[in-house]
Amino acid sequence: MKLVILGGGGFRVPLIHRALLAERGEPRVTDLVLYDVDLRRLTAIRHVLDQQAALEPGEHAPVSVSITTDLKEALVGADFVFSAIRVGGLEGRVIDERVALDLGVLGQETVGAGGISYGLRTVPVATEVARRIAELAPDAWTINFTNPAGLVTEAMAAYLGDRVIGICDSPVGLTRRVARLLGIDPATARFDYAGLNHLGWLRGVYVEGRDHLPRLLDNPEALGSFEEGKLFGPDWLKTLGAIPNEYLYYYYYAHEAVQAARTATLTRGAFLLRQQHDFYAETERDAGSALDAWRRTRAEREATYMADTRDIAGAGDRDSDDMESGGYEQVALSIMRAIARDERTVLILNVRNRSALSIVDADAVVEVPCVVDANGPHQVVINQLPPHAAGLVASVKAVERATIEAAMQGSRRAAHKALALHPLVGSVTVAQRMLDAYVEHFPQLSYLR
Ligand code: G6P
Ligand code: MN
């Protein structure tokens, strides 16, 4: 099979490549094509992959790797397309964060106002990519990694329908951590999780029809011992009666999160920009140490993930058990395997709602458990969201819709509406100032009239 990664010069590509090398069974990916607009980044990642393949050759036929900056050449004949583009680069992420923070608003690239700016930059490019995929590789399945993942997947679905699936590893990480605490094999459990990307709640963990989550919610010591428990506090989890996705920290502790981000010396984007700048530069100077440099850089990235929020919550350093979540590359490979080999697998994915959640319409992309087989993902029956979660999901979906409308119709009014309606912005005037600043900083946003 041919797998194309759009954003193939991206930092996390070696994770996918490593997972491909470890693949057993057929059919499997034999051709990996990395497409990117930046040849320098492609070349650096290629060195990492070459060194990785030499060290961990796998037991099967090798994966042939090629790099290209020609989208058409990349897409023709693709069986699967992973879209992991970053429009505006990490430089853009830094501006998304800074502009918002300077106005006292969270700038995070998915949950914060930064996510709207990022969405406004990304949707025009992602939909153009979707159009090209539909034209050049109509039989391919597209897996979208690009954040804000729910919004971007929904925009791409206008061209690709159910053949685009959005993924995120945070629900998987959450369910694995909870299963571990409960002493349950995740493969035997049914996880009642639902919401939007980075805005979901685990409401139940069923084994043989019995819900085991109450057992955890009633045990403050166990609750306080893992990532989400340390972040939200056992007491709040007990009050909620559910385990929220870690990104809900920005909602439940909105005040503290903005304070921490404003006082931090570097935003997350600025930290990653510096880190990745060093990695690509070092690899260009000394290609022979590409894999070492990548590993070092990656370990540092994982260890500092959501560090600001963990600092204010007093959660301390990340636990190694908490970190090994299976990773987003495993989610992507599981989908590919399930589709290509018709192996039924349950995964929490970003797909069109149909009738899963009554609070949003059928075409809204939601994050829910799905059974995946050769026909793609089909949702499993889940419980409806409790009122406070339903309200938040409806509000944030309205923001995503306004963002997509702004991007598709070039409407500055819709872009303002998206920012002003965002539950973490809180002011029509601040939303206007933010939009003006984003448009000023990003030439890509000049399409907004
Ligand atoms: C998690 C999130 C992703 C995010 C990634 C990296 O896996 O679910 O959406 O892209 O972390 O976050 P970072 O802050 O390191 O870019
Ligand atoms: Mn994610």
mmCIF file of all heavy atoms in Angstrom, residues 172-195:
data_model
loop_
_atom_site.group_PDB
_atom_site.id
_atom_site.type_symbol
_atom_site.label_atom_id
_atom_site.label_comp_id
_atom_site.label_asym_id
_atom_site.label_seq_id
_atom_site.Cartn_x
_atom_site.Cartn_y
_atom_site.Cartn_z
ATOM 1 N N VAL A 172 -7.384 8.328 23.761
ATOM 2 C CA VAL A 172 -6.759 7.022 23.958
ATOM 3 C C VAL A 172 -5.901 7.030 25.214
ATOM 4 O O VAL A 172 -5.953 6.116 26.038
ATOM 5 C CB VAL A 172 -5.816 6.651 22.789
ATOM 6 C CG1 VAL A 172 -5.097 5.366 23.042
ATOM 7 C CG2 VAL A 172 -6.559 6.582 21.525
ATOM 8 N N GLY A 173 -5.099 8.095 25.350
ATOM 9 C CA GLY A 173 -4.238 8.218 26.528
ATOM 10 C C GLY A 173 -5.084 8.180 27.796
ATOM 11 O O GLY A 173 -4.780 7.457 28.752
ATOM 12 N N LEU A 174 -6.177 8.942 27.783
ATOM 13 C CA LEU A 174 -7.066 9.008 28.944
ATOM 14 C C LEU A 174 -7.652 7.631 29.265
ATOM 15 O O LEU A 174 -7.602 7.174 30.420
ATOM 16 C CB LEU A 174 -8.181 10.022 28.642
ATOM 17 C CG LEU A 174 -9.391 10.078 29.572
ATOM 18 C CD1 LEU A 174 -8.974 10.400 30.987
ATOM 19 C CD2 LEU A 174 -10.379 11.136 29.098
ATOM 20 N N THR A 175 -8.190 6.955 28.276
ATOM 21 C CA THR A 175 -8.832 5.662 28.551
ATOM 22 C C THR A 175 -7.804 4.621 29.016
ATOM 23 O O THR A 175 -8.089 3.839 29.915
ATOM 24 C CB THR A 175 -9.595 5.133 27.314
ATOM 25 O OG1 THR A 175 -8.710 5.090 26.206
ATOM 26 C CG2 THR A 175 -10.782 6.016 26.982
ATOM 27 N N ARG A 176 -6.604 4.679 28.441
ATOM 28 C CA ARG A 176 -5.565 3.732 28.893
ATOM 29 C C ARG A 176 -5.192 3.970 30.346
ATOM 30 O O ARG A 176 -5.017 3.042 31.130
ATOM 31 C CB ARG A 176 -4.291 3.892 28.050
ATOM 32 C CG ARG A 176 -4.466 3.525 26.633
ATOM 33 C CD ARG A 176 -3.851 2.156 26.341
ATOM 34 N NE ARG A 176 -4.206 1.765 24.994
ATOM 35 C CZ ARG A 176 -3.363 1.791 23.975
ATOM 36 N NH1 ARG A 176 -2.107 2.113 24.163
ATOM 37 N NH2 ARG A 176 -3.763 1.456 22.773
ATOM 38 N N ARG A 177 -5.035 5.253 30.687
ATOM 39 C CA ARG A 177 -4.628 5.567 32.069
ATOM 40 C C ARG A 177 -5.714 5.124 33.061
ATOM 41 O O ARG A 177 -5.408 4.551 34.107
ATOM 42 C CB ARG A 177 -4.355 7.073 32.218
ATOM 43 C CG ARG A 177 -3.077 7.525 31.532
ATOM 44 C CD ARG A 177 -2.715 8.965 31.858
ATOM 45 N NE ARG A 177 -3.499 9.957 31.147
ATOM 46 C CZ ARG A 177 -3.202 10.455 29.949
ATOM 47 N NH1 ARG A 177 -2.103 10.045 29.326
ATOM 48 N NH2 ARG A 177 -3.964 11.357 29.376
ATOM 49 N N VAL A 178 -6.971 5.370 32.696
ATOM 50 C CA VAL A 178 -8.062 4.999 33.587
ATOM 51 C C VAL A 178 -8.150 3.467 33.703
ATOM 52 O O VAL A 178 -8.319 2.922 34.800
ATOM 53 C CB VAL A 178 -9.400 5.623 33.106
ATOM 54 C CG1 VAL A 178 -10.588 5.023 33.828
ATOM 55 C CG2 VAL A 178 -9.361 7.134 33.304
ATOM 56 N N ALA A 179 -8.007 2.766 32.593
ATOM 57 C CA ALA A 179 -8.061 1.295 32.624
ATOM 58 C C ALA A 179 -6.960 0.744 33.522
ATOM 59 O O ALA A 179 -7.174 -0.178 34.310
ATOM 60 C CB ALA A 179 -7.931 0.742 31.207
ATOM 61 N N ARG A 180 -5.773 1.340 33.423
ATOM 62 C CA ARG A 180 -4.647 0.879 34.242
ATOM 63 C C ARG A 180 -4.977 1.017 35.729
ATOM 64 O O ARG A 180 -4.760 0.100 36.516
ATOM 65 C CB ARG A 180 -3.382 1.674 33.882
ATOM 66 C CG ARG A 180 -2.157 1.340 34.711
ATOM 67 C CD ARG A 180 -0.865 1.945 34.143
ATOM 68 N NE ARG A 180 -0.969 3.363 33.839
ATOM 69 C CZ ARG A 180 -0.831 4.343 34.737
ATOM 70 N NH1 ARG A 180 -0.573 4.067 35.998
ATOM 71 N NH2 ARG A 180 -0.941 5.599 34.361
ATOM 72 N N LEU A 181 -5.532 2.183 36.101
ATOM 73 C CA LEU A 181 -5.888 2.401 37.508
ATOM 74 C C LEU A 181 -6.959 1.427 37.980
ATOM 75 O O LEU A 181 -6.976 1.024 39.145
ATOM 76 C CB LEU A 181 -6.423 3.823 37.692
ATOM 77 C CG LEU A 181 -5.402 4.926 37.780
ATOM 78 C CD1 LEU A 181 -6.110 6.266 37.872
ATOM 79 C CD2 LEU A 181 -4.518 4.718 39.006
ATOM 80 N N LEU A 182 -7.860 1.087 37.075
ATOM 81 C CA LEU A 182 -8.948 0.180 37.451
ATOM 82 C C LEU A 182 -8.522 -1.289 37.366
ATOM 83 O O LEU A 182 -9.297 -2.180 37.706
ATOM 84 C CB LEU A 182 -10.163 0.404 36.527
ATOM 85 C CG LEU A 182 -10.955 1.688 36.750
ATOM 86 C CD1 LEU A 182 -11.948 1.918 35.622
ATOM 87 C CD2 LEU A 182 -11.684 1.635 38.094
ATOM 88 N N GLY A 183 -7.304 -1.519 36.872
ATOM 89 C CA GLY A 183 -6.833 -2.895 36.713
ATOM 90 C C GLY A 183 -7.619 -3.650 35.648
ATOM 91 O O GLY A 183 -7.880 -4.841 35.766
ATOM 92 N N ILE A 184 -8.002 -2.927 34.613
ATOM 93 C CA ILE A 184 -8.827 -3.516 33.539
ATOM 94 C C ILE A 184 -8.018 -3.566 32.249
ATOM 95 O O ILE A 184 -7.285 -2.625 31.941
ATOM 96 C CB ILE A 184 -10.087 -2.628 33.332
ATOM 97 C CG1 ILE A 184 -11.078 -2.845 34.474
ATOM 98 C CG2 ILE A 184 -10.739 -2.872 31.997
ATOM 99 C CD1 ILE A 184 -12.248 -1.885 34.421
ATOM 100 N N ASP A 185 -8.169 -4.619 31.482
ATOM 101 C CA ASP A 185 -7.537 -4.686 30.165
ATOM 102 C C ASP A 185 -8.372 -3.825 29.211
ATOM 103 O O ASP A 185 -9.549 -4.131 28.980
ATOM 104 C CB ASP A 185 -7.513 -6.151 29.708
ATOM 105 C CG ASP A 185 -7.063 -6.301 28.264
ATOM 106 O OD1 ASP A 185 -6.688 -5.280 27.638
ATOM 107 O OD2 ASP A 185 -7.102 -7.443 27.758
ATOM 108 N N PRO A 186 -7.776 -2.736 28.657
ATOM 109 C CA PRO A 186 -8.579 -1.827 27.824
ATOM 110 C C PRO A 186 -9.272 -2.547 26.661
ATOM 111 O O PRO A 186 -10.335 -2.116 26.206
ATOM 112 C CB PRO A 186 -7.580 -0.791 27.313
ATOM 113 C CG PRO A 186 -6.239 -1.174 27.816
ATOM 114 C CD PRO A 186 -6.377 -2.297 28.791
ATOM 115 N N ALA A 187 -8.688 -3.653 26.219
ATOM 116 C CA ALA A 187 -9.284 -4.361 25.078
ATOM 117 C C ALA A 187 -10.639 -4.973 25.426
ATOM 118 O O ALA A 187 -11.457 -5.223 24.541
ATOM 119 C CB ALA A 187 -8.330 -5.451 24.588
ATOM 120 N N THR A 188 -10.880 -5.216 26.737
ATOM 121 C CA THR A 188 -12.141 -5.855 27.120
ATOM 122 C C THR A 188 -13.192 -4.826 27.541
ATOM 123 O O THR A 188 -14.326 -5.182 27.841
ATOM 124 C CB THR A 188 -11.929 -6.799 28.326
ATOM 125 O OG1 THR A 188 -11.510 -5.998 29.444
ATOM 126 C CG2 THR A 188 -10.883 -7.853 28.033
ATOM 127 N N ALA A 189 -12.809 -3.557 27.588
ATOM 128 C CA ALA A 189 -13.714 -2.544 28.148
ATOM 129 C C ALA A 189 -14.437 -1.754 27.055
ATOM 130 O O ALA A 189 -13.966 -1.652 25.923
ATOM 131 C CB ALA A 189 -12.927 -1.588 29.031
ATOM 132 N N ARG A 190 -15.588 -1.218 27.410
ATOM 133 C CA ARG A 190 -16.287 -0.273 26.537
ATOM 134 C C ARG A 190 -16.223 1.091 27.225
ATOM 135 O O ARG A 190 -16.673 1.234 28.366
ATOM 136 C CB ARG A 190 -17.739 -0.697 26.348
ATOM 137 C CG ARG A 190 -18.499 0.166 25.355
ATOM 138 C CD ARG A 190 -19.854 -0.429 25.036
ATOM 139 N NE ARG A 190 -20.792 -0.319 26.151
ATOM 140 C CZ ARG A 190 -21.439 0.803 26.492
ATOM 141 N NH1 ARG A 190 -21.253 1.917 25.807
ATOM 142 N NH2 ARG A 190 -22.276 0.820 27.510
ATOM 143 N N PHE A 191 -15.620 2.055 26.529
ATOM 144 C CA PHE A 191 -15.430 3.373 27.130
ATOM 145 C C PHE A 191 -16.524 4.315 26.639
ATOM 146 O O PHE A 191 -16.659 4.531 25.431
ATOM 147 C CB PHE A 191 -14.058 3.934 26.767
ATOM 148 C CG PHE A 191 -12.920 3.131 27.336
ATOM 149 C CD1 PHE A 191 -12.240 2.204 26.557
ATOM 150 C CD2 PHE A 191 -12.554 3.282 28.666
ATOM 151 C CE1 PHE A 191 -11.199 1.451 27.088
ATOM 152 C CE2 PHE A 191 -11.518 2.538 29.212
ATOM 153 C CZ PHE A 191 -10.841 1.614 28.415
ATOM 154 N N ASP A 192 -17.287 4.853 27.579
ATOM 155 C CA ASP A 192 -18.344 5.782 27.205
ATOM 156 C C ASP A 192 -17.752 7.193 27.227
ATOM 157 O O ASP A 192 -17.746 7.872 28.251
ATOM 158 C CB ASP A 192 -19.513 5.639 28.189
ATOM 159 C CG ASP A 192 -20.726 6.434 27.741
ATOM 160 O OD1 ASP A 192 -20.754 6.894 26.580
ATOM 161 O OD2 ASP A 192 -21.656 6.605 28.555
ATOM 162 N N TYR A 193 -17.228 7.600 26.075
ATOM 163 C CA TYR A 193 -16.542 8.895 25.935
ATOM 164 C C TYR A 193 -17.244 9.659 24.823
ATOM 165 O O TYR A 193 -17.567 9.081 23.784
ATOM 166 C CB TYR A 193 -15.076 8.657 25.553
ATOM 167 C CG TYR A 193 -14.255 9.926 25.382
ATOM 168 C CD1 TYR A 193 -13.493 10.422 26.438
ATOM 169 C CD2 TYR A 193 -14.249 10.620 24.176
ATOM 170 C CE1 TYR A 193 -12.746 11.586 26.291
ATOM 171 C CE2 TYR A 193 -13.508 11.787 24.022
ATOM 172 C CZ TYR A 193 -12.753 12.265 25.090
ATOM 173 O OH TYR A 193 -12.006 13.420 24.944
ATOM 174 N N ALA A 194 -17.448 10.951 25.001
ATOM 175 C CA ALA A 194 -18.059 11.728 23.911
ATOM 176 C C ALA A 194 -17.797 13.210 24.085
ATOM 177 O O ALA A 194 -17.525 13.688 25.183
ATOM 178 C CB ALA A 194 -19.565 11.484 23.866
ATOM 179 N N GLY A 195 -17.887 13.916 22.964
ATOM 180 C CA GLY A 195 -17.727 15.366 22.953
ATOM 181 C C GLY A 195 -17.191 15.814 21.611
ATOM 182 O O GLY A 195 -17.482 15.208 20.575
#
